Each structure stands twice: as C-alpha cells, then as structure tokens.
Amino acid sequence: QIVQSGSNQEAWILQQGSDLMALITQQGSGNAASIIQSGSHNRAQIAQNGNNNDASIEQAGSGQQSAVTQAGNGMSVSVKQYR
C-alpha cells in the first residue's frame, strides 16, 4: 500500500512470496521511497514526513522485518537484508 499527500512524491513496491506486507506513507514534497521483497515472512514500512527525503529497503529471504521513519528534510537511508 502506498499513501501519499503533498507533491512530487515517488514510491514503488515490488513483492514476491509468503506473508508479505509493505507500506509506504509520504507527507511533504519531493520524497522518494522504494521497497523490494522476496520470499518468506517479510514486512517493511517506510514513513516520510518532510521534504526531499530518500529511503529504500531491499530484503531477500526468511523472516526479515524492517521499518524506516524519516521526519525532517533532506534525509537518506538504505536498508538491505539478505539470506
């Protein structure tokens, strides 16, 4: 699920198997977020509140989880989990 308010937001989610859940919430302007997930228990969440933030999560196998919250402007974060 992708929830956006504001302008010039960019978000995408790609998922494959199992219990998956991905949520991207963006408020503000010029934010970018991406989530890629593959197999098993997954989950992932990105919340951006502000302007010009960048966040990405990439997960591969087993019981991974992730959460990213950005509150402010001009922040960047990348989370990668593989197994």
Side-chain angles (χ1 to χ4, degrees), residues 38-57:
S38 214
S40 249
H41 308 297
N42 306 324
R43 292 209 129 3
Q45 183 174 349
I46 296 175
Q48 296 174 312
N49 189 348
N51 303 313
N52 303 312
N53 295 308
D54 183 38
S56 67
I57 297 173

Side-chain angles (χ1 to χ4, degrees), residues 61-77:
S62 248
Q64 67 281 35
Q65 293 187 350
S66 247
V68 173
T69 300
Q70 294 175 310
N73 301 318
M75 297 182 213
S76 181
V77 65

